[in-house]
Amino acid sequence: MTSFNKATMTTFFNSIVLYLMVATSSASFAQQPIHIDTASVTRHGPEQGSLLIIGGNVGNTPSVWDRFVALAGGKDKAKIVVVTAAVGDSAAFDQKDINEIKKITGIKSVTLLHTSSLSEANSERFIKPIQEATGVYFLGGRQWRIADAYLNTLTHQAFFDVLKRGGVIAGSSAGATIQGSFLWRGDTSGADVLVGDHLQGLGFLKNAAIDQHLMKRNRQFDLVDFIRFSPKLIGIGLDEATAIVVQKDILEVVGKSYVAIYDHDTIVKKNTPFVLLQSGQSYDLKNRKIINPVRAPRATN
């Protein structure tokens, strides 16, 4: 477990300032930032399409994969692009993950997408498979690699276009964290650095920081102090083999374990570090409240 002590607070605030500068300045990038509508009617989720954000080690979890297939249009109509940048350069030549996804989902049209070149990610040729896709799936690895490859490129815009067409953006582990606007654990030196040298995610889930492998790696308290000092952001932590489906500002939990929601007012005013949700529960991201609380079992005599 990592916490924010006095020695790390200065670094934290400096990182927040840097994040805001990076997120708003075109001079920070070799390419122009993509246009993200700041007048969106949603506070966090996409206006069209769906996000499927998975906490890692999804394996053959039917509830998660079945939802992915459905959101992508069904196994006979789905066209999936699998993004492998987070894995590293060797992923460009490795088809095992593609074959595994085909086997689990029954989807026949699955295409590998890999680059570490910004110029390639800015090419019309490279984005053609995405322009025809009904779904995108980001593999795990290191989330900063995805940012280095795609942030503010034509490819990044093409991912958003999948959502605009009503498709699904999905990802597990690093492929979950990259979907937030703030890139949690994005340091090149290792995942134990919570606020590092990469601060901007792809922003499919706006005003959000996303953690994964939550309980398996004892990370459930890591986002608390960050959200305490970041009132506009929401924190989401997902355990393994567990996912959230986000449509507009409604989040639904599917899978085997728990999802933690980190909200500033809950932390500061209620002195509660997070709220836990389990499969079948939903949460209103805009109004910051559980839609269907778990009912306590009825007492028996």
Side-chain angles (χ1 to χ4, degrees), residues 9-27:
M9 287 308 300
T10 299
T11 301
F12 166 68
F13 282 117
N14 288 341
S15 297
I16 291 293
V17 171
L18 177 60
Y19 165 68
L20 294 174
M21 292 173 61
V22 167
T24 57
S25 173
S26 61

Side-chain angles (χ1 to χ4, degrees), residues 129-148:
I130 310 172
Q131 292 173 326
E132 300 173 354
T134 61
V136 175
Y137 187 88
F138 289 88
L139 293 178
R142 294 304 313 279
Q143 47 264 35
W144 61 265
R145 296 183 189 275
I146 304 174
D148 277 355

Side-chain angles (χ1 to χ4, degrees), residues 275-295:
V275 297
L276 282 179
L277 305 176
Q278 62 189 36
S279 182
Q281 286 191 279
S282 298
Y283 187 86
D284 185 332
L285 292 165
K286 187 172 186 177
N287 296 303
R288 305 287 179 89
K289 64 180 183 180
I290 300 173
I291 296 172
N292 51 344
V294 173
R295 295 182 180 180

Side-chain angles (χ1 to χ4, degrees), residues 33-277:
I34 65 167
H35 174 69
I36 300 176
D37 187 6
T38 56
S40 172
V41 298
T42 59
R43 184 175 183 180
H44 295 287
E47 293 197 37
Q48 295 92 29
S50 307
L51 305 178
L52 181 65
I53 304 174
I54 309 165
N57 286 337
V58 62
N60 186 14
T61 306
S63 58
V64 175
W65 287 115
D66 289 350
R67 187 61 67 90
F68 177 63
V69 172
L71 293 171
K75 64 180 182 180
D76 295 326
K77 295 183 179 180
K79 293 184 178 181
I80 304 303
V81 168
V82 175
V83 181
T84 59
V87 183
D89 288 342
S90 61
F93 311 102
D94 194 345
Q95 289 284 330
K96 67 179 178 62
D97 291 300
I98 307 298
N99 295 335
E100 187 67 18
I101 289 173
K102 284 183 176 181
K103 180 180 177 181
I104 292 174
T105 64
I107 298 172
K108 296 181 177 60
S109 179
V110 182
T111 302
L112 182 152
L113 191 77
H114 183 94
T115 190
S116 57
S117 165
L118 284 173
S119 60
E120 187 173 23
N122 266 318
S123 70
E124 294 287 348
R125 178 195 61 79
F126 187 78
I127 68 172
K128 188 173 181 179
I130 310 172
Q131 292 173 326
E132 300 173 354
T134 61
V136 175
Y137 187 88
F138 289 88
L139 293 178
R142 294 304 313 279
Q143 47 264 35
W144 61 265
R145 296 183 189 275
I146 304 174
D148 277 355
Y150 298 119
L151 189 63
N152 297 327
T153 63
L154 287 178
T155 300
H156 191 180
Q157 184 63 64
F159 293 147
F160 274 102
D161 290 342
V162 172
L163 292 173
K164 289 179 180 179
R165 296 195 298 270
V168 58
I169 300 289
S172 181
S173 192
T177 297
I178 195 63
Q179 296 190 51
S181 55
F182 188 96
L183 193 59
W184 190 243
R185 300 187 193 275
D187 197 85
T188 52
S189 66
D192 290 336
V193 180
L194 304 182
V195 179
D197 55 17
H198 286 63
L199 300 171
Q200 190 177 6
L202 296 185
F204 307 131
L205 190 68
K206 302 183 290 290
N207 306 311
I210 302 170
D211 206 356
Q212 11 80 2
H213 302 283
L214 190 70
M215 295 176 176
K216 184 70 173 180
R217 299 185 184 178
N218 197 27
R219 294 174 169 179
Q220 54 266 41
F221 292 97
D222 287 0
L223 271 164
V224 175
D225 284 339
F226 179 77
I227 298 300
R228 186 193 306 275
F229 293 101
S230 309
K232 292 186 178 180
L233 299 182
I234 195 162
I236 299 175
L238 304 103
D239 201 20
E240 295 182 355
T242 307
I244 56 172
V245 177
V246 183
Q247 295 175 321
K248 297 188 183 300
D249 271 326
I250 302 301
L251 170 161
E252 179 191 353
V253 180
V254 296
K256 298 179 178 180
S257 189
Y258 292 93
V259 170
I261 306 294
Y262 303 83
D263 168 61
H264 173 267
D265 285 355
T266 301
I267 294 169
V268 173
K269 296 179 181 179
K270 297 181 181 179
N271 198 28
T272 301
F274 49 78
V275 297
L276 282 179
L277 305 176

